[in-house]
Amino acid sequence: MKIQISKTYLNDSIQQVSKAISSRTTIPILGGIKFDVNYAGVTLTASDTDISIQSFIPAEDNDKTVVRIDRPGSVVLPAKFFVEIIKKLPSQEIEMEVRDGFQTFIRAGATDIQLVGLDPEEFPVLPSIEENQQISVPGDLLKNMIKQTAFSISTQETTPILTGVLWNLSEGELKFVATDRHRLASRTVNTGEDTGVRFSNVVIAGKTLNELSKIIPDQNQLLDIVVADNQVLFKIDRVLFYSRILDGTYPDTSKIIPTSFKTELVIDTKKLADSIDRAYLLSREEKTNIVRMQTLENGAVEISSSSSELGRVTEQLDIARFEGEPLRISFNSKYMLDVLKVIESEQLSIQFTGIMSPIIIKPLDESRSLYIILPYRTTN
């Protein structure tokens, strides 16, 4: 294998695939990036068995020569060193040559580097996926759905299924749900016309979706999603992102969503977030994160928290609308702030069914998002 390649294209591709490399792998070959070179271009692949990412660099792009291929071939290079050194090379033109025993020589300007490569035949084969279950979703919409749900996954490996986000698709409606048993986030979108594709109980690890989100371009372009028995494939421009589907059955969360409520208030999202953020400073010091909210007779709502060492903070906020019974409730302010950070609507609705019943939060736009936080029982 011998090529000359643009540093910009190579570095971009490395940054994409390196998200699939685990720093704690016990299998040496998985700590590397596989290079496959033919006369069409260069394909980079990385995998940690849970996710695999493949990025293609074409020989030519928009009538510009990106890669000059003198000799095709393959090699696996150690990612930890390779990712860092490519960023720091002095020249925009990089020459790579693989000789006997997978010894790899990299030249850029006056810099010469020799790396010990590995046999590409030992690298795991990418999953084979039948592409009969495929949908197309705008990239910015998918990024939003991930951002607005993945924060609610569980971080406890004792229940692996809850470390993922549940995907269901029916009649053109795609729904994400995430819960750690103390809170829940869901988002539903219409993908367009019903193409007949259906799937349920597809659970993808939250950390995987967060890595996927970093690869999705900011511009609003469609990406294809292929769902198979135990794998999901995301096609993003010249990148293929494979993810394993988590084993197990996701719990039925519909039973914990109240269908009626005794109290509803509509309030400004940013003002509420700022107020709870200030109250959080004291509750954090108390190691409880507990903030209290109660409705007042003057039509306002009071946000408060206290610390036995620092003191107390109390703040009143105007309510845009209030219906139902007076309320006094306590909740985890960190959980509430996580929700408020992802709500883009200027106003939101908070619904309660009682002091120990779930708190329902809905943005007052048409995003079809819903959030649930379980309240705390407190003595004061």
Side-chain angles (χ1 to χ4, degrees), residues 124-145:
V125 177
L126 287 179
S128 177
I129 291 184
E130 291 185 16
E131 300 193 8
N132 52 8
Q133 286 269 85
Q134 178 171 308
I135 61 170
S136 297
V137 177
D140 59 343
L141 177 60
L142 182 59
K143 284 180 83 163
N144 243 0
M145 292 183 73

CSV table of all heavy atoms in Angstrom, one decimal, residues 124-145:
chain,number,residue,atom,x,y,z
A,124,PRO,N,-12.2,-7.4,12.9
A,124,PRO,CA,-13.5,-8.0,12.7
A,124,PRO,C,-14.2,-7.5,11.5
A,124,PRO,O,-14.1,-6.4,11.1
A,124,PRO,CB,-14.2,-7.5,14.0
A,124,PRO,CG,-13.4,-6.4,14.5
A,124,PRO,CD,-12.0,-6.6,14.1
A,125,VAL,N,-15.0,-8.4,10.9
A,125,VAL,CA,-15.8,-8.1,9.7
A,125,VAL,C,-17.0,-7.3,10.2
A,125,VAL,O,-17.6,-7.6,11.2
A,125,VAL,CB,-16.2,-9.4,9.0
A,125,VAL,CG1,-17.1,-9.0,7.8
A,125,VAL,CG2,-15.0,-10.2,8.6
A,126,LEU,N,-17.4,-6.3,9.4
A,126,LEU,CA,-18.5,-5.4,9.7
A,126,LEU,C,-19.8,-6.3,9.6
A,126,LEU,O,-19.9,-7.2,8.8
A,126,LEU,CB,-18.6,-4.2,8.8
A,126,LEU,CG,-17.6,-3.1,9.0
A,126,LEU,CD1,-17.8,-2.0,8.0
A,126,LEU,CD2,-17.7,-2.6,10.4
A,127,PRO,N,-20.8,-5.9,10.4
A,127,PRO,CA,-22.1,-6.7,10.4
A,127,PRO,C,-22.7,-6.7,9.0
A,127,PRO,O,-22.6,-5.7,8.3
A,127,PRO,CB,-23.0,-6.0,11.4
A,127,PRO,CG,-22.1,-5.2,12.2
A,127,PRO,CD,-20.9,-4.8,11.4
A,128,SER,N,-23.3,-7.8,8.6
A,128,SER,CA,-24.1,-7.9,7.4
A,128,SER,C,-25.6,-7.5,7.7
A,128,SER,O,-26.2,-8.2,8.5
A,128,SER,CB,-24.0,-9.3,6.8
A,128,SER,OG,-24.8,-9.4,5.6
A,129,ILE,N,-26.1,-6.5,7.0
A,129,ILE,CA,-27.4,-6.0,7.3
A,129,ILE,C,-28.3,-6.1,6.1
A,129,ILE,O,-28.0,-5.5,5.0
A,129,ILE,CB,-27.4,-4.6,7.9
A,129,ILE,CG1,-26.8,-4.6,9.3
A,129,ILE,CG2,-28.8,-4.0,8.0
A,129,ILE,CD1,-26.7,-3.3,10.0
A,130,GLU,N,-29.5,-6.7,6.2
A,130,GLU,CA,-30.5,-6.6,5.2
A,130,GLU,C,-31.2,-5.3,5.2
A,130,GLU,O,-31.6,-4.8,6.3
A,130,GLU,CB,-31.5,-7.7,5.3
A,130,GLU,CG,-31.0,-9.1,5.1
A,130,GLU,CD,-32.1,-10.2,5.2
A,130,GLU,OE1,-33.3,-9.8,5.1
A,130,GLU,OE2,-31.8,-11.4,5.3
A,131,GLU,N,-31.2,-4.6,4.1
A,131,GLU,CA,-31.7,-3.2,4.0
A,131,GLU,C,-33.2,-3.1,3.6
A,131,GLU,O,-33.6,-2.3,2.8
A,131,GLU,CB,-30.8,-2.4,3.1
A,131,GLU,CG,-29.4,-2.4,3.6
A,131,GLU,CD,-28.5,-1.3,3.0
A,131,GLU,OE1,-29.1,-0.5,2.2
A,131,GLU,OE2,-27.3,-1.3,3.2
A,132,ASN,N,-34.0,-4.0,4.2
A,132,ASN,CA,-35.5,-3.9,3.8
A,132,ASN,C,-36.3,-3.1,4.8
A,132,ASN,O,-37.5,-2.9,4.7
A,132,ASN,CB,-36.0,-5.3,3.6
A,132,ASN,CG,-35.8,-6.2,4.8
A,132,ASN,OD1,-35.2,-5.8,5.8
A,132,ASN,ND2,-36.1,-7.5,4.7
A,133,GLN,N,-35.7,-2.7,5.9
A,133,GLN,CA,-36.3,-1.9,6.9
A,133,GLN,C,-35.6,-0.5,7.0
A,133,GLN,O,-34.7,-0.4,7.9
A,133,GLN,CB,-36.3,-2.6,8.3
A,133,GLN,CG,-37.3,-3.7,8.4
A,133,GLN,CD,-38.6,-3.3,8.9
A,133,GLN,OE1,-39.5,-2.9,8.2
A,133,GLN,NE2,-38.9,-3.4,10.2
A,134,GLN,N,-35.9,0.4,6.2
A,134,GLN,CA,-35.1,1.6,6.1
A,134,GLN,C,-36.0,2.9,6.1
A,134,GLN,O,-37.1,2.9,5.5
A,134,GLN,CB,-34.2,1.6,4.8
A,134,GLN,CG,-33.4,2.9,4.6
A,134,GLN,CD,-32.4,2.8,3.5
A,134,GLN,OE1,-31.7,1.9,3.4
A,134,GLN,NE2,-32.5,3.8,2.6
A,135,ILE,N,-35.6,3.9,6.9
A,135,ILE,CA,-36.3,5.1,6.9
A,135,ILE,C,-35.3,6.3,6.7
A,135,ILE,O,-34.1,6.1,6.9
A,135,ILE,CB,-37.1,5.4,8.2
A,135,ILE,CG1,-36.2,5.4,9.4
A,135,ILE,CG2,-38.2,4.4,8.4
A,135,ILE,CD1,-36.8,5.8,10.7
A,136,SER,N,-35.8,7.4,6.3
A,136,SER,CA,-34.9,8.6,6.1
A,136,SER,C,-35.4,9.7,7.1
A,136,SER,O,-36.6,10.0,7.1
A,136,SER,CB,-34.9,9.1,4.7
A,136,SER,OG,-34.4,8.1,3.8
A,137,VAL,N,-34.5,10.3,7.8
A,137,VAL,CA,-34.8,11.3,8.8
A,137,VAL,C,-33.8,12.5,8.6
A,137,VAL,O,-32.6,12.3,8.4
A,137,VAL,CB,-34.7,10.8,10.2
A,137,VAL,CG1,-34.9,11.8,11.3
A,137,VAL,CG2,-35.6,9.6,10.4
A,138,PRO,N,-34.3,13.7,8.7
A,138,PRO,CA,-33.4,14.9,8.6
A,138,PRO,C,-32.4,14.8,9.8
A,138,PRO,O,-32.8,14.5,10.9
A,138,PRO,CB,-34.3,16.1,8.8
A,138,PRO,CG,-35.7,15.6,8.3
A,138,PRO,CD,-35.7,14.2,8.7
A,139,GLY,N,-31.1,15.1,9.5
A,139,GLY,CA,-30.1,15.0,10.5
A,139,GLY,C,-30.3,15.9,11.7
A,139,GLY,O,-30.1,15.4,12.9
A,140,ASP,N,-30.7,17.1,11.5
A,140,ASP,CA,-30.9,18.0,12.6
A,140,ASP,C,-32.0,17.6,13.5
A,140,ASP,O,-32.0,17.8,14.7
A,140,ASP,CB,-31.1,19.5,12.2
A,140,ASP,CG,-32.3,19.7,11.3
A,140,ASP,OD1,-32.8,18.7,10.7
A,140,ASP,OD2,-32.7,20.8,11.1
A,141,LEU,N,-33.1,16.9,12.9
A,141,LEU,CA,-34.2,16.4,13.7
A,141,LEU,C,-33.7,15.3,14.6
A,141,LEU,O,-34.1,15.2,15.8
A,141,LEU,CB,-35.3,16.0,12.8
A,141,LEU,CG,-36.5,15.3,13.5
A,141,LEU,CD1,-37.2,16.3,14.4
A,141,LEU,CD2,-37.6,14.9,12.4
A,142,LEU,N,-32.9,14.4,14.0
A,142,LEU,CA,-32.4,13.2,14.8
A,142,LEU,C,-31.5,13.7,15.9
A,142,LEU,O,-31.6,13.2,17.1
A,142,LEU,CB,-31.7,12.3,13.9
A,142,LEU,CG,-31.2,11.0,14.6
A,142,LEU,CD1,-32.3,10.2,15.2
A,142,LEU,CD2,-30.4,10.1,13.6
A,143,LYS,N,-30.7,14.7,15.7
A,143,LYS,CA,-29.8,15.2,16.7
A,143,LYS,C,-30.7,15.8,17.9
A,143,LYS,O,-30.3,15.6,19.1
A,143,LYS,CB,-28.9,16.3,16.2
A,143,LYS,CG,-27.8,15.8,15.4
A,143,LYS,CD,-26.9,17.0,14.8
A,143,LYS,CE,-25.9,17.5,15.8
A,143,LYS,NZ,-24.8,18.3,15.2
A,144,ASN,N,-31.7,16.5,17.5
A,144,ASN,CA,-32.6,17.1,18.5
A,144,ASN,C,-33.3,16.0,19.4
A,144,ASN,O,-33.4,16.1,20.6
A,144,ASN,CB,-33.7,17.9,17.8
A,144,ASN,CG,-33.6,19.4,18.3
A,144,ASN,OD1,-32.7,19.8,19.0
A,144,ASN,ND2,-34.4,20.2,17.7
A,145,MET,N,-33.8,14.9,18.7
A,145,MET,CA,-34.5,13.9,19.4
A,145,MET,C,-33.5,13.2,20.4
A,145,MET,O,-33.9,12.8,21.5
A,145,MET,CB,-35.0,12.9,18.4
A,145,MET,CG,-36.2,13.4,17.6
A,145,MET,SD,-36.9,12.1,16.5
A,145,MET,CE,-37.8,11.1,17.6
